[in-house]
Amino acid sequence: MFIPFCTTVLLAPLLIYLLALKDTAPLLLESPPDGQTAALHATAIVLIIVLGLELLLFAIAYAWGYKQLRNYLQHQIALLQSQALAILQQTDPNEDVDLLGLLQALGQQIRQQQQALEQQSLQLTQQIQRNSQVEKALQEIQQQLEARVQERTAQLSQNAEMLQARLNEARQQTNQLQYEIRHDGLTGLANRAFFMDRLHAELETIRNQSPQPDESQNLTAVLFIDMDQFKVVNDSMGHLVGDELLVAIAQRLQTCIPENALLARFGGDEFVVLAWKLDNIQQAEQLAQAICLCLKQPFLLHDQDIYITASIGIAIAVNGNKDPTALLRDADTALYRAKAAGRNRYEVFSERLHLRARRLLRLESQIRQATERNEFHLYFQPILEARSNTFTAMEILVRWKHPHQGFLLPQDFIPLAEEVGLISIVDRWVLQATFVQISQWQAAGFSVPIATVNISGQSLMDESLGEFLTTLLEQYQIPSLSVEVEISEQAAMENIQQSIKNLAHLDQLGITCWMDDFGQAYSSLSHLRLLPISVLKVPALFVRDAQQNCAILQAIADMAHALNKRVCAEGVETPAQATLLKRIGYDLLQGYLYSTPLPASALEEMLRNNL
């Protein structure tokens, strides 16, 4: 639209100017110029100049912005018109004018203006070219910037996605870590930290409530659960199977836990239940019964049925009247009481149990002090050969000369020492004291009978017992046949595989074993055959009514001899008992009929008389 318009505007005046010039040209050539003619000439020249400028405007309009250049040229035309008008005004019509010189001067100005315009046009063209190059460079830079922006945007978007992924991963790791911190890694149950936080929150919530006068008591119960004889599974089938059993136990326990309860695993084979909003203690007891019943069915692992039972201790907080630590401690106390009472049962904590627990705590400290202060004393009860009535062996017994309670018999502190886990300390003290005494008597020239020392089930399961006895044999330089050990039938059968292993180690050292209280537990004949035992010892329970128990006593003696073992009866108090036992084939006799337990000084006197 712009170019046709410019062409029309510029060519129209051109035609007019040519027509005017056609009419005036002959006059200019034929007659000399007068004033009118000079004015006409000047006008024609001005028109020609305007025409030239218009043509120049037309030429430049294509190369440069029309509007700006037109304004400039119009200004120049106006200036030339004003100059031409000034010349016409100054020219007298009657005066001869040097038209040629005037035209030359005007032509010179026009050429100068034209050259200036051409130079400016050239400069403008160059400037336009430079601007075009700059614009092109700017466009390239813009394109590069846009490309870089897009690339950077894509990179930032990718980085944002990667950052978001890392944040999600970190959040998942944090959540996983928080879960692992508060849950047991094996069973997935709540752990001790989670349980204690929940217990604290429950008790705090109850304490902050405003109880109504007619409102019933709000009870919170903690049930401490410990699997009975779980160590037997670990020792006999391995810890991996033991872990599988723990997972199976956890899954089964969850099926019998109500909604208002939380099941947690504290570690090992210990589980704890928190039950809240109970109306009475009976509800806690019913939950304990349900747990015991839940474990009654065997667990099938590796094509083998595994039976497991649990002992449970129950502690109750009424309206949040106990702190979490005390409540858990009380449940633990009740648990140990349930174990001591025979296992596979529950016990509710009472103040009586609390007093007993405090007594056990004092006893633990006193037993440790007794070993350091030599408050324990050895007593010796002779064992005779049934046929010859000769002093052939002696059972080592221990008495505790308590600083406040006087002499305590074994039944007064041995069960408690077993309950607090210190019986091994007592056993080792007795063993070492026996070796010391025998070495002193042998050094004095006495013929010392075989000493049989009672060891607990805890000591029997301790694999370091053989090393301890080896050290004593080397230290005191006494024959290994001088000392034998007595273990109860129940202790030997609790973990038969470990018993066979450890007793075999003692047998390699030359230390034989007697089985005490035979007939009171549940010995298997196959196990009895595998155990390296030299003597079966029948308890006073059967000997006391020897006449009525004659068939049992006879069967035990026959079985022992069939297994190439000797048999001993303890608790012999009357000649009739001794006569019967000798008649049915007992090899060794022990009891008050022959001697009460003697202190070392009295037995030394007996040894001196036998020299």
Side-chain angles (χ1 to χ4, degrees):
M1 294 295 292
F2 175 72
I3 293 176
F5 172 78
C6 292
T7 304
T8 304
V9 172
L10 294 175
L11 290 180
L14 177 61
L15 293 174
I16 297 172
Y17 296 155
L18 291 175
L19 291 175
L21 184 61
K22 176 177 179 296
D23 295 332
T24 58
L27 295 176
L28 292 173
L29 294 175
E30 292 176 359
S31 61
D34 54 12
Q36 184 176 0
T37 305
L40 183 59
H41 278 255
T43 302
I45 291 169
V46 170
L47 292 173
I48 293 170
I49 292 171
V50 171
L51 175 62
L53 292 175
E54 290 287 346
L55 292 173
L56 182 61
L57 176 63
F58 176 76
I60 295 174
Y62 287 97
W64 194 54
Y66 170 77
K67 185 177 182 180
Q68 183 176 1
L69 186 59
R70 180 180 179 84
N71 292 336
Y72 176 75
L73 291 177
Q74 285 177 352
H75 174 71
Q76 294 297 325
I77 290 171
L79 182 61
L80 290 174
Q81 287 176 348
S82 65
Q83 290 178 357
L85 181 62
I87 292 173
L88 291 176
Q89 290 175 354
Q90 292 175 2
T91 304
D92 187 357
N94 300 316
E95 182 180 359
D96 293 334
V97 179
D98 187 2
L99 184 58
L100 182 61
L102 181 59
L103 290 173
Q104 290 176 349
L106 287 174
Q108 182 68 25
Q109 290 182 2
I110 289 173
R111 284 191 298 272
Q112 291 176 356
Q113 291 289 340
Q114 184 178 2
Q115 290 176 356
L117 289 174
E118 289 176 353
Q119 185 176 3
Q120 290 180 1
S121 175
L122 179 61
Q123 292 176 354
L124 288 173
T125 302
Q126 294 175 350
Q127 183 65 33
I128 290 172
Q129 292 177 351
R130 286 194 298 270
N131 290 342
S132 177
Q133 293 175 355
V134 170
E135 183 179 359
K136 184 177 181 180
L138 288 175
Q139 289 177 352
E140 292 178 355
I141 293 174
Q142 182 178 2
Q143 291 175 356
Q144 293 176 359
L145 287 174
E146 289 178 353
R148 293 189 62 182
V149 167
Q150 292 177 355
E151 180 183 357
R152 187 60 176 169
T153 301
Q155 184 178 1
L156 289 175
S157 177
Q158 183 179 3
N159 291 341
E161 292 177 358
M162 293 175 59
L163 180 59
Q164 185 63 39
R166 290 182 180 179
L167 288 175
N168 293 337
E169 183 180 358
R171 189 177 295 111
Q172 291 177 356
Q173 291 177 351
T174 301
N175 294 337
Q176 181 65 25
L177 182 60
Q178 290 177 347
Y179 179 86
E180 292 176 356
I181 290 175
R182 297 174 61 81
H183 290 80
D184 175 56
L186 179 64
T187 63
L189 299 177
N191 60 10
R192 179 185 289 267
F194 189 176
F195 182 89
M196 294 304 293
D197 289 345
R198 184 62 181 272
L199 176 58
H200 184 276
E202 288 294 334
L203 295 177
E204 188 68 21
T205 300
I206 295 174
R207 283 194 290 265
N208 292 335
Q209 291 176 350
S210 299
Q212 301 298 325
D214 57 345
E215 186 179 3
S216 59
Q217 291 181 335
N218 191 342
L219 304 185
T220 304
V222 171
L223 286 73
F224 209 128
I225 309 168
D226 186 80
M227 300 299 119
D228 299 326
Q229 305 300 323
F230 189 84
K231 188 176 183 300
V232 176
V233 177
N234 278 336
D235 293 341
S236 60
M237 303 186 67
H239 288 275
L240 292 179
V241 176
D243 289 345
E244 293 179 16
L245 179 58
L246 286 173
V247 173
I249 290 172
Q251 293 173 349
R252 188 176 292 184
L253 288 177
Q254 285 181 304
T255 63
C256 61
I257 299 300
E259 293 183 356
N260 61 326
L262 171 68
L263 175 64
R265 177 176 178 244
F266 272 22
D269 58 343
E270 293 180 342
F271 296 86
V272 186
V273 175
L274 169 63
W276 56 89
K277 295 183 180 180
L278 303 180
D279 297 329
N280 49 59
I281 297 178
Q282 286 72 27
Q283 291 180 345
E285 293 179 327
Q286 290 171 1
L287 178 56
Q289 293 171 358
I291 291 173
C292 291
L293 184 62
C294 179
L295 297 174
K296 187 174 181 180
Q297 295 298 320
F299 294 88
L300 180 61
L301 295 176
H302 299 274
D303 298 328
Q304 183 173 346
D305 286 337
I306 299 177
Y307 290 86
I308 199 77
T309 60
S311 298
I312 305 174
I314 304 174
I316 302 294
V318 180
N319 296 328
N321 64 342
K322 289 186 178 181
D323 64 86
T325 303
L327 191 60
L328 192 63
R329 178 203 63 204
D330 293 346
D332 191 33
T333 300
L335 166 66
Y336 277 97
R337 182 56 187 165
K339 281 188 170 295
R343 300 186 178 93
N344 192 25
R345 53 174 294 155
Y346 67 87
E347 189 79 29
V348 180
F349 179 82
S350 63
E351 189 60 30
R352 176 181 56 82
L353 290 180
H354 179 62
L355 295 175
R356 187 173 185 276
R358 294 181 60 181
R359 179 189 174 196
L360 290 176
L361 182 62
R362 289 195 303 269
L363 177 66
E364 180 178 355
S365 176
Q366 292 171 353
I367 288 177
R368 294 184 184 276
Q369 293 174 356
T371 58
E372 298 171 357
R373 300 171 180 175
N374 290 323
E375 295 176 358
F376 292 122
H377 296 271
L378 296 184
Y379 274 66
F380 308 84
Q381 187 172 24
I383 300 175
L384 279 65
E385 284 282 354
R387 296 184 181 276
S388 61
N389 283 340
T390 56
F391 183 13
T392 186
M394 55 184 175
E395 181 180 4
I396 309 301
L397 304 171
V398 63
R399 302 288 187 269
W400 184 3
K401 188 178 181 181
H402 196 279
H404 306 296
Q405 302 179 31
F407 268 96
L408 299 179
L409 297 176
Q411 59 266 30
D412 296 328
F413 64 91
I414 292 297
L416 298 177
E418 290 180 339
E419 188 170 345
V420 298
L422 294 179
I423 189 61
S424 294
I425 295 177
V426 178
D427 288 345
R428 297 205 173 194
W429 185 93
V430 172
L431 282 169
Q432 184 166 10
T434 300
F435 273 76
V436 170
Q437 187 63 73
I438 291 175
S439 65
Q440 291 176 353
W441 282 336
Q442 289 182 348
F446 297 135
S447 177
V448 183
I450 296 173
T452 64
V453 182
N454 290 278
I455 61 172
S456 64
Q458 294 180 21
S459 293
L460 178 61
M461 295 298 107
D462 189 351
E463 294 185 355
S464 65
L465 177 62
E467 297 177 2
F468 179 72
L469 288 171
T470 301
T471 301
L472 293 179
L473 290 171
E474 294 175 353
Q475 181 177 356
Y476 296 103
Q477 294 297 310
I478 64 174
S480 59
L481 296 177
S482 301
V483 177
E484 298 181 353
V485 296
E486 289 190 27
I487 60 170
S488 68
E489 181 185 16
Q490 182 177 357
M493 295 301 148
E494 283 185 354
N495 189 342
I496 186 63
Q497 299 299 329
Q498 190 67 27
S499 297
I500 293 173
K501 178 182 176 181
N502 290 350
L503 290 178
H505 187 192
L506 298 186
D507 190 58
Q508 292 175 358
L509 297 176
I511 299 176
T512 58
C513 178
W514 294 30
M515 179 174 283
D516 197 11
D517 296 332
F518 183 78
Q520 285 188 310
Y522 44 86
S523 292
S524 165
L525 294 181
S526 60
H527 291 160
L528 187 61
R529 178 179 57 83
L530 295 175
L531 286 169
I533 294 173
S534 61
V535 178
L536 299 181
K537 200 171 187 180
V538 178
L541 174 66
F542 295 136
V543 175
R544 186 178 302 112
D545 298 322
Q547 199 65 42
Q548 288 78 9
N549 297 325
C550 182
I552 297 176
L553 294 171
Q554 179 73 63
I556 293 175
D558 293 342
M559 180 185 63
H561 294 149
L563 295 173
N564 199 26
K565 304 180 187 301
R566 306 182 77 192
V567 61
C568 174
E570 64 177 341
V572 181
E573 297 179 352
T574 66
Q577 294 171 346
T579 301
L580 175 62
L581 293 169
K582 290 178 182 180
R583 180 173 56 83
I584 61 178
Y586 273 70
D587 304 292
L588 301 169
L589 302 177
Q590 174 186 356
Y592 284 1
L593 176 63
Y594 304 106
S595 176
T596 60
L598 303 173
S601 57
L603 186 66
E604 183 175 333
E605 185 65 26
M606 181 184 296
L607 295 176
R608 182 176 290 108
N609 294 333
N610 290 337
L611 285 177

